[in-house]
Amino acid sequence: MLTGGDENRTGLIQFHFHLLSTLPEIQLLIFLAFLLMYLLSLCGNTAVALTVCTDRSLHTPMYFFLANLAVLEICYSSVIAPLALVNLVSGRKATISLAGCGTQMFFFVFVGGADCVLLAVMAYDRYVAICHPLRYTLIMNWKVCACLVAGSLVLGFLLSLHFFCDIPAVLRLACTNTRVHQAALFIVSVTVLTIPFLLICLSYVFIVAAILQIRSAAGRCRTFSTCSSHLTVVLLQYGCCSFIYLRPSSSYSPEQGWVVSVVYTFVTPVLNPLIYSMRNKELKDALTIPNPCLTLS
């Protein structure tokens, strides 16, 4: 957690990180917990991405988007986690330069923004699959899927250009008037979070309406099961991000912000592959059954 900025003898602005605990034993336990979650997120998301790439039965638009989401989750956690782990294990108050902070936040917003847009794309994919099943392969062809993923990355990149270390924790350290920066942060946050979330909600309105028209209860459950994992990930992702970026700056609490930041930096990337593998039978079977493409003869 950032605590302040100063200027050293060479004129370089640096920010200090608060130690999460002054007790070395507690600091070590926190480091081990964060390291375990980071390694689990890397292993889980890598397994999902590789399984989708190597298993031909999963070569569908839904799993194509899921594999890209897994790759984004790896990048998302890797932007913050390694530096946080180094600071934890160093045992002293670490620092980060303004340029380093800006670079880190640029990639964090880039990947996080692309992640949010991709979740909206996945909701659209489920809408087409459930509401227009006969036209699904025509609408969601591979060219369209590739363009949608590329569009998510481009939008994430464009949105990240508005950020240079002006996240709430850093804005609180500024000595000048930050109202313009806070307004820009809020506008970009609304663009990244609210608009894709509204598109997701709109997609699910049509999806629920289509599911309710299915006569058999088994059919309704089977159809909804294809969306439940995505909906769970959406609520987890948007809930954490909205708590940080869509709340008034006057009510920002560094302690609460730290807790939520830990959740979406370390916990969410671990939970996402678990949610998809546990709630999706095809992916679960592919992960548990040895893939001949991954075995040596």
Side-chain angles (χ1 to χ4, degrees), residues 53-69:
C53 291
T54 56
D55 194 323
R56 292 185 178 274
S57 65
L58 301 180
H59 289 182
T60 63
M62 182 178 74
Y63 292 108
F64 172 73
F65 294 134
L66 179 57
N68 282 275
L69 181 67

Side-chain angles (χ1 to χ4, degrees), residues 120-258:
V121 169
M122 295 173 73
Y124 174 72
D125 171 70
R126 291 298 84 206
Y127 157 74
V128 176
I130 294 173
C131 299
H132 304 283
L134 298 180
R135 301 174 56 197
Y136 178 69
T137 55
L138 179 64
I139 297 175
M140 301 301 295
N141 58 67
W142 288 112
K143 183 179 180 180
V144 170
C145 292
C147 289
L148 289 172
V149 171
S152 301
L153 295 174
V154 170
L155 286 175
F157 175 78
L158 293 176
L159 290 168
S160 65
L161 295 177
H162 293 275
F163 285 77
F164 188 80
C165 216
D166 56 347
I167 299 301
V170 180
L171 285 177
R172 287 174 61 88
L173 305 176
C175 298
T176 58
N177 191 337
T178 61
R179 290 183 179 179
V180 174
H181 298 286
Q182 289 174 346
L185 172 63
F186 183 79
I187 292 172
V188 174
S189 299
V190 168
T191 304
V192 175
L193 298 174
T194 305
I195 295 178
F197 185 71
L198 290 176
L199 293 176
I200 291 172
C201 292
L202 183 62
S203 297
Y204 274 102
V205 167
F206 289 105
I207 288 172
V208 171
I211 291 175
L212 292 177
Q213 293 178 359
I214 300 175
R215 294 184 178 181
S216 67
R220 288 194 297 269
C221 292
R222 185 170 58 254
T223 304
F224 183 74
S225 65
T226 64
C227 307
S228 59
S229 55
H230 174 261
L231 192 57
T232 304
V233 170
V234 166
L235 294 176
L236 188 63
Q237 178 86 358
Y238 279 87
C240 292
C241 293
S242 299
F243 184 85
I244 292 291
Y245 300 113
L246 295 183
R247 62 188 303 187
S249 59
S250 58
S251 64
Y252 177 80
S253 168
E255 291 75 17
Q256 292 178 346
W258 175 81

